[in-house]
Amino acid sequence: DTGVSQNPRHKITKRGQNVTFRCDPISEHNRLYWYRQTLGQGPEFLTYFQNEAQLEKSRLLSDRFSAERPKGSFSTLEIQRTEQGDSAMYLCASSLVAGAGELFFGEGSRLTVL
Amino acid sequence: AQRVTQPEKLLSVFKGAPVELKCNYSYSGSPELFWYVQYSRQRLQLLLRHISRESIKGFTADLNKGETSFHLKKPFAQEEDSAMYYCALHSGGGADGLTFGKGTHLIIQP
């Protein structure tokens, strides 16, 4: 297991287009988190799953953002009708329930909206 | 609402000098505090957590509930310590993920 995997690593898109990012967590981890990081800021929590259940989504930035984890394994984060302000690094992390504060991060997916 | 404050965006010290990266938090309950580190071209990773009370790579951090602080310290800095350091808070038993500070860029000069 090589750790948390994210793809694509980089995505350039035009304003108004939809984008989807994928995250494959560490296989035995049942918690999966999405964060956004902009320049000069720390990671900002967006949402998280325990197995396939999305237990917190009120921190998603707008209704254009949605996330799924249909089988409790990989997850996708979709941004519809992208705006220039969505340009950021999107980080995925996973953890065991017992170690909920100990997150294992992926390398991130960098989004650039033109 | 919970908040983590790292007052220094950049901290530059010479090799062999002591290092202290400051972190203050705001939270009404009993938080769990963490330090995460990101070395150049690497992913964000856990450095240490307050409940472990351990020293990792020579770094220690003590939770001071009176001052609501969790400063990261190392007595003798090494060049390989150069990295971005993020302090993070978990509400402990709550449903939310970690709340991160904005980070401090530590540069160790030779």
Side-chain angles (χ1 to χ4, degrees):
Chain A
D1 193 320
T2 56
V4 177
S5 176
Q6 293 186 246
N7 64 81
R9 295 289 313 282
H10 303 275
K11 177 72 175 178
I12 300 173
T13 191
K14 291 183 178 179
R15 190 176 51 181
Q17 298 294 305
N18 299 344
V19 296
T20 300
F21 301 113
R22 175 178 169 130
C23 173
D24 288 89
I26 294 172
S27 56
E28 61 267 29
H29 287 180
N30 47 17
R31 281 201 175 172
L32 185 149
Y33 303 81
W34 284 101
Y35 283 82
R36 182 181 80 157
Q37 188 172 23
T38 54
L39 197 62
Q41 303 293 317
E44 176 187 11
F45 171 72
L46 297 179
T47 186
Y48 94 100
F49 295 83
Q50 183 162 314
N51 300 312
E52 65 274 11
Q54 190 173 12
L55 297 186
E56 175 60 64
K57 57 182 179 181
S58 66
R59 308 268 282 276
L60 286 168
L61 299 163
S62 79
D63 58 7
R64 298 185 295 105
F65 287 71
S66 62
E68 293 183 341
R69 194 183 183 195
K71 297 182 180 178
S73 57
F74 73 92
S75 175
T76 57
L77 176 70
E78 182 182 19
I79 308 173
Q80 296 183 324
R81 305 180 303 281
T82 53
E83 301 173 357
Q84 287 187 324
D86 298 332
S87 296
M89 179 73 84
Y90 291 86
L91 296 170
C92 176
S94 68
S95 75
L96 294 168
V97 175
E102 183 173 357
L103 272 55
F104 293 79
F105 281 86
E107 293 179 295
S109 294
R110 182 171 295 284
L111 173 65
T112 301
V113 182
L114 302 177
Chain B
Q2 53 206 43
R3 187 168 63 242
V4 175
T5 303
Q6 294 180 249
E8 304 135 330
K9 286 185 74 171
L10 175 67
L11 182 62
S12 180
V13 302
F14 286 101
K15 177 182 171 182
V19 172
E20 182 179 46
L21 287 80
K22 291 184 168 51
C23 172
N24 289 88
Y25 66 90
S26 172
Y27 180 63
S28 56
S30 294
E32 296 175 32
L33 274 296
F34 303 81
W35 277 99
Y36 278 75
V37 61
Q38 187 166 26
Y39 301 103
S40 178
R41 298 190 182 87
Q42 295 188 28
R43 63 188 69 194
L44 193 59
Q45 60 186 284
L46 178 67
L47 179 63
L48 57 79
R49 54 195 307 178
H50 89 269
I51 61 173
S52 300
R53 303 187 64 83
E54 57 191 343
S55 173
I56 304 292
K57 299 184 179 182
F59 284 98
T60 59
D62 290 318
L63 178 62
N64 186 324
K65 291 187 177 180
E67 295 183 359
T68 59
S69 68
F70 187 56
H71 303 326
L72 183 68
K73 299 177 184 179
K74 185 169 182 175
F76 307 104
Q78 299 172 291
E79 287 185 67
E80 54 265 33
D81 296 328
S82 294
M84 280 295 298
Y85 290 80
Y86 296 94
C87 183
L89 178 153
H90 185 254
S91 54
D96 286 344
L98 292 172
T99 299
F100 285 86
K102 293 185 177 182
T104 298
H105 187 187
L106 177 64
I107 297 174
I108 308 300
Q109 298 190 46

